Structure formats: C-alpha cells, structure tokens
DNA sequence: TGATAAATGTACTAACCGGTTCAATTGGTC
DNA sequence: GACCAATTGAACCGGTTAGTACATTTATCA
C-alpha cells in the first residue's frame, strides 16, 4: 500500500512514496465495489471512493478512465469470481438427485455469502445490463453452470428419475432465482412482512425448501 | 391537463391556465414513475421529470416536498396497486392444488404485466427499503397473500395432499421469487446466456415450470 | 548516470442539479 | 366584487460532482 500523505505537518508537500500499480488498482477496486454496491452507479461518488482509498482521485481516472470504466471493472471482477466458483463444481460423479441437491445448495450458499455480487447484479439490471454488454468478459465461458446442469439432468432422465422435456438453462435459472431472492429482496420482504429471510433459521428452512422445489420440478 | 405555455410568441408571458390539482398530481406521478423506474432514485433528474410534465418543477416541490417525497409517492402507489391485486384473488373455493396453481400463475402474470413495479422494488432494495420504511403504507394490510396461501396450504394438508411443516410465508416467497426473477433479471440473463426469458415461448415454459416447482415443493 | 516512461499528487473548473425566491393568477366565499 | 387561500410560473442560486491540467516523483534500462 502506498503511503502518500504525511499526516502531520500540512506544510510538507508529501512524503516520498513507492510505486505499486497493482496495489493501487486493487485498493481502488475494493473501495469502489463497496461504494457501487451500496449506492449504485449514479448514487456512488467518485470523490467518496477516492477519499476512502489510500490514493487520490487522479489514480481512478488514470487506471479506469472514468466512473463507468471503474464500475465496469468492478462488475467484471465479480463475474470472474462467480465463474471460478462455477468451474469449481464437480458433480459428475454423484447420483443425479444428489448432484442436483449439491448444486442447488452450493448456489444458494454462494449468493448468501456474496451479497455484494447479488446487489451489483441488481444494479446492473436496473441499467438494463448496459455495462455488462459493453464489457469484454461476455463472450467468454458464459454457461459452465448450464453445462453442469445439463449433464446431471440428462443422467437423471436416463435413470428414469427426472421427467424429460425441460431446458437445462431453465433449470439453472430456477435455482438462481430461488437463491438470489433471499439476498436481493431481503430489505423489502423484511419491511413488508416483518420477516428477515437471512437469519440462520430462516435460511435453513429456505434452503431445504429450495432443494425440494427444484427436485419436485424435475420429478414432475 | 393544464396548458400553461403558449408555444408561439416567446414574448407572451403565459397563456391563462385552469387549476387542476389532481390532474397535475397524477401527471407528475406518471412521469416520475417512468423516470425512477428507468434511472433509479439518484439517477433520475428532477428537471427531466419536470420537462416531461405538462407543468413545471415548481409543482413537484409544491406537491411532494422534495425528490425523495416524490419517489415515496410513486412507491406507495405501486404497492397500493399490488395490494388490490392480492385482494382480488378468490381461491378459497378451489381444490388446494388447483388453487395453488392459480395463485402461482396469477402472481407470475402480474409481475410480467407490471415490470415497472418489479424494477421499482429492485431500486428500493438497493436502498435497503429505506423509503418503504419511511412510508405510511406499511402498517396496513401487509400480507393478504400470505393469508390466502395459508388457507390453501392448510386445506391441502387436511386433504393429505401437501406435507406439513412449511411456513405459509415461505411458500409465498418462493412463488414471488420465481415470478419476479423473469423480469428483474431479464437483462443480465439475456446478456450472459443470450436468452430472453420474456418471449412468449420462454414465458410459457417458465410458467409451467414454476407451477411444477411450487407444487413439487408442497407435495414434498 | 542520464534519459525516458510510468505512476502519483495538487489544485482547479465547468457543468449540473436539487431546491428556492418572488411574484402572479385563479377560484371560491361572504 | 373584494378578499384570501390555493395553485402556478419564471428565473435564479449555491453546493456538488465528474473530470482535467500541470507539475513532480519514481522506476527502468541502456
């Protein structure tokens, strides 16, 4: 981390500093993530981000061009993370029903553990995914989860456990919907129903219900 | 609708106008809804809203106090609407499984038909439901759907069709999650998977899958 | 060691934007 | 028809905010 400002003696222009491009970049990205997640794109303030950084606003524009460039970088980082999570899934050796259960639970837990990602996706949806579209990371591996799901599903059909005729992508999206909701709508549900979906007890209940819903849908 | 501005002859101060408080209010609310839904709270511009109105910015502040007051009014209006939708449900005469099917389909369709509501709820969740909390309309009937769900569920248990032990609220939330997702995440899903969840065919598929998931969960 | 490129800090600005001031006009009421 | 409250218009303002100009320091490498 750079140490650019001599906290005492306002007179001294600045203490000497060591260059650390990667550190500065990371620092900015971490702060920016928190701010965008909390305030959205238009709600976040570049000056606030800069202030919470060990560096200055100048660096934000130096590395990321403009506010949207910074936002895009944060967004890409988050999608990179979930992609690597998806790649880490190894369910081909499990029985179909058990594999679906594990996939569902892992997805469910991932969203609970990464509320920042969920909120960022919400923000991006408000913007009609405009920045995702403008990002490089789209064409890349976009659907490893769908492949995982497809393989499990097909094994399940072959074993006579699942009914045929469903789209693997739709199955994935059902799991996603039920997992994301707990985080994305926690606030309004909490307010309207006086119910916190994210207490350990509520989560345990909702997790098993989610598995039941997905399996129930597959069994038809 | 007021007709405040004489489009020709910039010299003329203003043509005469007739008072229409309710009309002006409605006009502002409609424009504001579109703007907030499209740009979020911080993204929306009061000047833009005013420009698209038949009246002036002055009226916004006259009737709604400030930008957040206007936002709150829009939000409340939308919750009023969905509450009346919920009240219109009359499912107590149907067999439990058919009632759940109808409830699920009606909820599903409501969200498809009211994307503005879905987007507004998203925006409000980004703000941690702060404005919903600050609103009057909270303490009112907050859970008529949950009551509907509870009655169906209990009848289903009594008939030996549904497994016991579930929370009616959780059932409602499952239906809600699967219904909202199609609209709320349409953009990112479309971008990441190249899949539009809202084509008629996709919707038909997802609708029946949603019913299957909910019924599957209830049957256990 | 000296030249060049990369990285960083400071101070500034121009536009934007939520909100206000001041005054005028309307419509009901006695 | 005169008075008063409700309603509306036009111009304006001060703080905020994204973005920049310019100078300076650090690292690289021949």
């Amino acid at each position: 981390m750079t140490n650019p400002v001599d906290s005492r003696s306002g007179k001294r222009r600045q203490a000497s500093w060591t260059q650390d491009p990667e550190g500065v970049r990371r620092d900015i990205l971490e702060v920016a993530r928190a701010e965008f997640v909390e305030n959205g794109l238009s709600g976040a303030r570049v000056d606030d981000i800069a202030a919470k950084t060990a560096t200055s606003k100048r660096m934000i524009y130096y590395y990321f061009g403009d506010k949207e460039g910074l936002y895009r970088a944060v967004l890409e980082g988050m999608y990179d993370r979930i992609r690597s999570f998806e790649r880490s899934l190894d369910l081909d050796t499990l029985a179909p029903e058990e594999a679906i259960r594990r996939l569902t639970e892992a997805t469910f837990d991932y969203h609970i553990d990464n509320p920042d990602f969920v909120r960022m996706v919400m923000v991006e949806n408000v913007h009609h995914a405009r920045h995702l579209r403008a990002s490089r990371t789209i064409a890349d591996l976009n659907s490893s989860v769908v492949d995982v799901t497809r393989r499990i599903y097909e094994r399940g059909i072959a074993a006579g456990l699942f009914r045929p005729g469903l789209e693997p992508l739709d199955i994935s999206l059902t799991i996603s919907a039920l997992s994301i909701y707990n985080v994305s709508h926690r606030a309004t549900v909490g307010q309207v129903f006086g119910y916190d979906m994210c207490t350990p007890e509520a989560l345990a209940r909702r997790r098993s219900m989610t598995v039941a819903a997905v399996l129930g849908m597959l069994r038809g």
Side-chain angles (χ1 to χ4, degrees), chain A residues 74-220:
Chain A
V74 170
L75 190 65
E76 286 174 4
M78 292 190 150
Y79 270 95
D80 284 348
R81 275 205 62 192
I82 197 176
R83 282 208 189 83
S84 82
F85 156 76
E86 293 170 351
R87 271 194 301 271
S88 77
L89 293 172
D90 180 23
L91 303 166
D92 287 331
T93 61
L94 297 174
E97 292 198 322
E98 182 61 16
I100 287 289
R101 168 185 305 274
R102 293 277 183 90
L103 170 62
T104 303
E105 289 178 346
T107 305
F108 189 98
D109 293 344
Y110 184 88
H111 288 91
I112 298 297
D113 295 337
N114 294 276
D116 279 9
F117 170 71
V118 174
R119 291 177 60 83
M120 198 76 181
V121 172
M122 263 201 295
V123 170
E124 183 58 8
N125 270 292
V126 170
H127 292 283
H128 298 285
R130 176 164 32 106
H131 314 91
L132 206 50
R133 192 176 311 125
S135 168
R136 50 159 186 85
T137 351
I138 309 293
D140 304 11
L141 74 151
N142 52 11
S143 55
S144 58
V145 228
V146 182
D147 291 334
V148 171
T149 307
R150 167 176 290 116
R151 286 199 298 273
I152 302 174
Y153 178 53
E154 285 172 353
R155 287 194 293 125
I157 294 175
L161 295 165
F162 300 155
R163 63 174 167 134
L166 301 177
E167 279 294 328
L169 177 51
D170 279 320
I171 300 170
S172 275
L173 294 178
T174 298
I175 296 171
S176 175
L178 290 171
S179 298
I180 285 186
Y181 187 78
N182 303 289
V183 180
S184 66
H185 285 63
R186 179 182 186 181
T188 52
V189 167
Q191 205 48 235
V192 171
F193 298 103
Y195 177 63
D196 184 355
M197 292 190 285
C198 287
T199 64
E201 306 80 45
L203 281 180
R205 207 160 46 223
R206 314 208 88 249
R207 208 169 97 122
S208 71
M209 285 181 67
T210 298
V211 172
V214 174
L215 283 176
M217 175 182 71
L218 290 176
R219 293 182 189 126

Side-chain angles (χ1 to χ4, degrees), chain A residues 28-43:
Chain A
I28 293 174
L29 278 174
E30 278 168 22
V31 173
R33 177 176 68 182
E35 290 291 306
F36 284 131
V37 155
E38 191 56 32
N39 307 108
L41 172 53
S42 36

